[in-house]
Amino acid sequence: MKLRLVLGAMLAVAGAPVAAAQCLLCGQGKDGAIAARRAEVPLRVEVETQLDLGRVAVGAMGGEVEIDPMSGARRVRGDVVDLGGFALTGVVTVRGEPGADVRVILPATVDLEGGYGRTARVTGLATDLSAAPRLGPDGRLVFRFGGRLQVDGASDGDYRGRIPVTVEYQ
């Protein structure tokens, strides 16, 4: 088995545009007042910890490395050997209107780049959030995310990329 080295992904985040401001003198119902208040408190998204899939050796048949967002456990499949090192779930903090419902959107796949034009793909991005995430009474929401890195046997190197995370008010 040839030894191959794969390292993790960096995280890029984006807060979605806030709802458009509405006329404060117009007859607003409850939803309009909530939207106007949220427009005053924009969402801020901060990366606390970048997703890092650690170090592995990949044989000729390739395989994948997975980080579970709930437990933080790293699993390898295929022709892959875990070489240790720290594997970390990504951790994101969102700040905004206290008690507001939000939606977190992760891409279906992200291609990472290594040396010499090589690529590896991250799929299955998932969070530890409930089905209806909500900012706490302090206006904060902290969540973790993980995913699967798929690597073929000819793709050794240090892979990096950006995983866009979009957060918007519901």
Side-chain angles (χ1 to χ4, degrees), residues 4 15 62 64 88 92-93 99 102-103 114 117 122-123 153 157 161:
R4 308 283 188 199
E64 63 183 29
L88 302 169
V92 175
T93 298
V102 294
R103 180 171 51 163
V122 176
T123 63

Side-chain angles (χ1 to χ4, degrees), residues 1-8 52-59 65 74 79-86 112-115 118-120 149-160:
M1 176 189 313
K2 284 186 165 180
L3 289 185
R4 308 283 188 199
L5 180 63
V6 178
L7 292 178
D52 189 334
L53 299 163
R55 294 177 17 174
V56 296
V58 181
V65 182
R74 175 174 47 191
D79 196 5
V80 178
V81 176
D82 186 343
L83 296 177
F86 292 106
L112 304 180
E113 295 181 11
R118 295 179 177 146
T119 62
L149 175 66
Q150 300 171 339
V151 182
D152 67 36
S155 296
D156 62 337
D158 181 6
Y159 289 87
R160 298 194 182 276

